[in-house]
Amino acid sequence: DTNQYQGVYTYFDEVGLLKKLPKNNRASYMARECGFSSPVPNFYGHVFVGRVQTKPTMMNLSFRLGVDTERGVATWMRRAVA
């Protein structure tokens, strides 16, 4: 319950590089902020990030631009590193 029963999921094209899709720097930045740093993964093409809350019932949650997406501000990113 320390995370308020919330989870974050990432969906991406695992073969984006083979398809010659453009590098997604924003997704790599988010991975680095979540603690993936040795090495930081590269993503290619579209990446979708979703958030859910499982209690009291399962539901999708919105990300608030700035609050949930900015470096050093987003609580879910800080928790991922811990």
Side-chain angles (χ1 to χ4, degrees):
D1 94 80
T2 58
N3 68 350
Q4 301 169 337
Y5 303 102
Q6 295 180 10
V8 176
Y9 296 89
T10 305
Y11 304 92
F12 57 94
D13 190 339
E14 295 173 346
V15 293
L17 178 61
L18 295 175
K19 293 178 181 178
K20 299 182 179 178
L21 298 175
K23 186 174 178 185
N24 189 322
N25 291 319
R26 182 184 290 179
S28 295
Y29 158 79
M30 289 178 73
R32 185 181 71 238
E33 290 299 307
C34 290
F36 293 95
S37 60
S38 185
V40 174
N42 291 318
F43 297 95
Y44 297 87
H46 294 290
V47 174
F48 300 92
V49 181
R51 182 165 59 173
V52 296
Q53 185 169 346
T54 59
K55 289 190 178 182
T57 60
M58 182 76 151
M59 69 174 105
N60 292 319
L61 298 176
S62 297
F63 284 100
R64 295 163 293 165
L65 189 59
V67 175
D68 293 323
T69 58
E70 288 298 317
R71 178 181 183 179
V73 176
T75 303
W76 69 272
M77 285 188 200
R78 291 195 317 263
R79 284 186 183 141
V81 176

